Amino acid sequence: SGAAAWAIPLPEVLARAPGTLEEPPPQVLYTPPSVKDASTAEQIALAEHLRKTGAQFYGAYWCSFCLRQRRLFGAAGSRVLPYVECAEDGYGYRRCPPQVTGYPAWQIGGKFYGGLRGLRELQAMSGFDASVEFPAPPPPPPRPAPPPGGFKPPAVAAASTAEQLALAKHLRATGAKFYGAHWCRFCALQRTLFGAEGAAVLPYVECASDGYQSAAAVCKTKSQVDGYPTWEIGGRFYGGYQSFEQLATASDFQARAAKGLGGGEAEGLALGIDFANAPPAVRMGDDCNLPDGDCK
């Protein structure tokens, strides 16, 4: 009784004891939005086939196109899907392979496929019974009519620093292009990185057909623009949100204080999303071509 009575509890035991040590705040983990629609037997069967054959469906809880992908399977089918959460603050997070360059993405039979995929596409890619027929997806809700001239990207409120404005002018002067869409929040954060004056100078190309000063026809000629935002600098293409330092390096820009971060990165951190390293938002499939308007 003597030695045991005077034994010191292990640190992990003390940590679990209420009131002994300050407990860290609980970590908040996010889950994808739930799917409400009922599943058909065919949708469930395809989802089960994808899981059994080792397919992987990579996405993020905040990705609207991933939600659309899950909705194609209905509620019961979406729960069976071999879903991999790629957002670090998402429930069940797993580090996704480097071949995943956008969300959603599929890995089927050892090959990677980017973008939202229809049921018939997944049926063919995974070798699912070709005789199975799937119900036609419900038509998307009607899109609101654009205002005269088209939809404009969200305004940037913060004032620009001298370095932000200088880099924006440098990108324009050297022939760089910033491809985006008015509805793309990654693009809005990218513009926020330059402040109000800098954002107005950026060599922005609107790829949405209903956007202000739309250049959708130009975007269609750029096969490398398979997600938003995409930068074209010095003949090379860079997909996804780029930091101040990345753009300065890619464009050979020299600034006295190129280490300052704009509001976009601060906002990304506040949301719990790593926008600086996030892949671009990708849209593919029979029902949604990348330059053709708003396919939310």
Side-chain angles (χ1 to χ4, degrees), residues 170-211:
H170 172 76
L171 290 166
R172 176 176 287 276
T174 53
K177 299 295 182 184
F178 164 27
Y179 300 96
H182 63 85
W183 49 262
C184 170
R185 63 173 174 170
F186 292 91
C187 305
L189 285 168
Q190 187 73 89
R191 295 172 65 251
T192 303
L193 182 61
F194 290 87
E197 297 80 7
V201 177
L202 285 174
Y204 177 69
V205 180
E206 177 60 64
C207 292
S209 59
D210 57 355

Side-chain angles (χ1 to χ4, degrees), residues 67-136:
L67 175 59
R68 287 187 59 195
Q69 183 72 86
R70 294 170 58 243
R71 281 176 174 167
L72 291 180
F73 289 85
S78 67
R79 290 193 290 269
V80 179
L81 285 173
Y83 177 71
V84 179
E85 178 59 63
C86 295
E88 292 190 8
D89 57 345
Y91 180 75
Y93 161 73
R94 287 163 52 189
R95 182 176 295 276
C96 293
Q99 295 90 335
V100 177
T101 59
Y103 304 142
W106 287 88
Q107 182 181 3
I108 301 175
K111 296 182 179 180
F112 288 85
Y113 305 88
L116 187 149
R117 299 289 170 168
L119 296 180
R120 291 182 180 84
E121 285 184 285
L122 294 170
Q123 179 182 35
M125 290 188 295
S126 66
F128 185 63
D129 186 355
S131 65
V132 174
E133 296 288 338
F134 298 101

Side-chain angles (χ1 to χ4, degrees), residues 9-23:
L10 295 174
E12 54 266 29
V13 175
L14 286 172
R16 289 196 298 267
T20 56
L21 293 177
E22 183 178 353
E23 297 182 3

Side-chain angles (χ1 to χ4, degrees), residues 7-65:
I8 299 175
L10 295 174
E12 54 266 29
V13 175
L14 286 172
R16 289 196 298 267
T20 56
L21 293 177
E22 183 178 353
E23 297 182 3
Q27 183 180 6
V28 177
L29 298 177
Y30 298 92
T31 59
S34 60
V35 175
K36 306 293 186 182
D37 303 324
S39 300
T40 66
E42 293 79 12
Q43 291 168 323
I44 297 174
L46 175 58
E48 291 177 341
H49 171 78
L50 290 166
R51 177 176 288 277
K52 289 177 182 177
T53 54
Q56 298 289 304
F57 164 29
Y58 300 100
Y61 68 86
W62 46 260
C63 169
S64 62
F65 302 107

Side-chain angles (χ1 to χ4, degrees), residues 143-144 182-183 208-210 283 288 292-296:
R143 286 156 42 188
H182 63 85
W183 49 262
S209 59
D210 57 355
R283 301 183 299 166
C288 182
D292 295 340
D294 185 352
C295 289
K296 290 184 179 178

